[in-house]
């Protein structure tokens, strides 16, 4: 339930089209619903404007489907991240309207009515190998109604590739940069734009990259003061935060 649906419910009670008892039943699962193996936070959308998201890795396909089902019944948009093919097949069997995004390892179900995008997010990947993390970010941001511009394979080894898309960067409210290896790209991007840059280190690179730790440390030591960093391969976390920043930018404009 979001703020709009809650206001509709309260207005219906006020007008007498729904009884207080029926409204109470509708609110029975607030603030969370206990389904045994999970306690689903249906109240999160009311608190921060975005719903809880399912992290499918480590859950069985049936557990993910159970949670997906209860969240869908609440009427919110639903996102499951780190979902494998078996989990996606089981969810889509129950929800044909859902979409599986193999590159992003994500499953989405859009239920909110169409509306104009709230904010603009540019998402960059240094190389094609960083694209799965970038796609996780892009799918997340698009589900939560941000305009997304994908700018992939623009790493610092060929700086002309980044400079050729600079005119697209300057229109974004926030930029997400996914990079492995030495993780240099966010610092360069940070020097080109006047908006927050969210750096995502990826677990891409040879041995001394230490599965993304080298990129993480490089990004944490960025000389560009508008760069902040999320965890390794956490495209979802970068996008969730970017959506909130983009929405705030729209409200201020």
């Amino acid at each position: 339930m979001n703020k709009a649906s809650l206001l509709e419910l309260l207005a219906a009670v006020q007008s007498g089209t729904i009884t207080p008892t029926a409204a109470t039943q509708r609110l029975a699962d607030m603030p969370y619903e206990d389904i045994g193996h999970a306690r689903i936070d249906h109240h999160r959308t009311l608190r921060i404007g975005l719903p809880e998201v399912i992290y499918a890795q480590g859950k069985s396909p049936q557990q993910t489907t159970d949670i997906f089902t209860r969240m869908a019944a609440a009427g919110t948009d639903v996102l499951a991240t780190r979902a494998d093919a078996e989990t996606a097949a089981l969810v889509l069997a129950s929800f044909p309207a859902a979409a599986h995004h193999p590159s992003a390892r994500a499953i989405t179900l859009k239920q909110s009515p169409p509306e104009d995008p709230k904010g603009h997010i540019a998402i960059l990947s240094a190389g094609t190998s960083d694209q799965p993390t970038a796609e996780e970010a892009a799918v997340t941001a698009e589900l939560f109604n941000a305009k997304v511009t994908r700018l992939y394979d623009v790493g610092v080894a060929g700086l002309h590739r980044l400079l050729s898309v600079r005119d697209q960067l300057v229109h974004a409210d926030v930029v997400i940069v996914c990079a492995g290896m030495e993780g240099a790209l966010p610092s360069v991007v940070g020097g080109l734009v006047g908006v927050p840059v969210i750096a995502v280190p990826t677990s891409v690179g040879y041995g001394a990259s230490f599965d993304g730790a080298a990129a993480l440390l490089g990004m944490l030591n960025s000389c560009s003061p508008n760069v902040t960093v999320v965890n390794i391969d956490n495209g979802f976390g970068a996008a969730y935060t970017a959506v909130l920043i983009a929405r705030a930018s729209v409200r201020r404009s």
Side-chain angles (χ1 to χ4, degrees):
M1 178 172 287
N2 55 33
K3 291 181 180 179
S5 60
L6 178 58
L7 288 172
E8 288 176 4
L9 179 62
L10 295 175
V13 173
Q14 185 180 42
S15 67
T17 57
I18 187 172
T19 66
T21 299
T24 300
Q25 292 173 344
R26 292 269 300 275
L27 296 171
D29 292 327
M30 304 286 280
Y32 69 88
E33 180 182 4
D34 189 347
I35 62 171
H37 58 78
R39 300 187 185 199
I40 304 169
D41 184 5
H42 294 303
H43 196 264
R44 189 168 302 184
T45 304
L46 288 173
R47 296 197 312 271
I48 64 175
L50 297 176
E52 185 175 26
V53 169
I54 306 164
Y55 181 74
Q57 187 172 325
K59 296 180 177 68
S60 70
Q62 188 60 58
Q63 286 176 326
T64 297
T65 302
D66 289 345
I67 299 169
F68 203 100
T69 299
R70 298 314 307 155
M71 292 181 67
T76 62
D77 296 330
V78 188
L79 168 63
T81 66
R82 302 301 171 92
D84 58 22
E86 182 182 0
T87 297
L90 189 59
V91 171
L92 266 63
S94 298
F95 297 93
H100 178 214
H101 310 268
S103 178
R105 293 183 292 171
I107 309 165
T108 59
L109 178 64
K110 186 70 173 179
Q111 299 195 111
S112 59
E115 57 180 332
D116 292 335
K118 296 179 180 177
H120 181 191
I121 301 170
I123 301 178
L124 283 63
S125 75
T128 304
S129 297
D130 303 303
Q131 188 169 319
T133 300
E135 272 300 295
E136 182 180 70
V139 167
T140 299
E142 287 177 331
L143 178 67
F144 295 144
N145 203 41
K147 176 183 176 181
V148 171
T149 297
R150 292 169 169 83
L151 301 169
Y152 292 167
D153 196 23
V154 292
V156 297
L159 194 58
H160 53 290
R161 298 177 300 183
L162 175 63
L163 296 178
S164 70
V165 299
R166 185 184 179 189
D167 60 331
Q168 298 179 67
L169 286 177
V170 298
H171 298 294
D173 299 305
V174 56
V175 179
I176 296 172
V177 182
C178 305
M181 302 290 186
E182 82 285 12
L185 184 58
S187 290
V188 179
V189 173
L192 296 175
V193 299
V195 296
V197 174
I198 302 177
V200 187
T202 67
S203 52
V204 170
Y206 292 104
S209 70
F210 297 109
D211 294 324
L216 172 64
L217 292 173
M219 293 173 181
L220 287 171
N221 285 285
S222 174
C223 59
S224 296
N226 54 338
V227 173
T228 190
V229 189
V230 297
N231 209 345
I232 297 169
D233 292 331
N234 190 11
F236 157 72
Y240 203 93
T241 301
V243 167
L244 294 174
I245 294 171
R247 289 186 174 189
S249 298
V250 171
R251 289 196 298 269
R252 289 195 299 268
S253 63

